[in-house]
Amino acid sequence: PHLIVDYPRYEKSLTGCETFISGEPSDATLTRFPDSRAEIRWALRAIGRLLDSGVEPEEIALTVTELERSAQMLAAECRETMP
């Protein structure tokens, strides 16, 4: 939530930005979400796809800002999204 609050400050710079390249070229993309819950659901689906493709859970990391504030929502979404 803290990161979303200052989005208007950077919106003009990010508008139309389809690819983010840092260092070496990559296929990373900038994705906007209507809210934190949608972002969490997207991340959990991506994790599910990784697991389904054979990636070991120990090889997957998820970083979350202000975990203490988002822990309940993250846990609830995990229960609903992950098998």
Side-chain angles (χ1 to χ4, degrees):
H2 184 270
L3 295 176
I4 295 171
V5 171
D6 65 354
Y7 178 76
R9 179 177 172 191
Y10 303 99
E11 182 175 15
K12 185 176 179 182
S13 299
L14 297 172
T15 300
C17 179
E18 299 211 9
T19 309
F20 178 79
I21 299 175
S22 176
E24 297 193 21
S26 71
D27 61 354
T29 58
L30 173 65
T31 305
R32 295 186 204 179
F33 301 94
D35 54 40
S36 296
R37 186 172 303 271
E39 183 176 8
I40 288 171
R41 287 179 178 164
W42 178 89
L44 293 175
R45 285 192 303 270
I47 291 169
R49 287 190 299 274
L50 289 171
L51 293 170
D52 289 344
S53 72
V55 175
E56 294 295 324
E58 297 80 15
E59 297 297 317
I60 301 171
L62 176 64
T63 59
V64 180
T65 59
E66 300 180 21
L67 180 58
E68 296 78 20
R69 291 182 61 194
S70 6
Q72 285 185 327
M73 183 170 50
L74 182 59
E77 293 301 323
C78 283
R79 285 191 294 275
E80 290 180 23
T81 307
M82 304 300 277

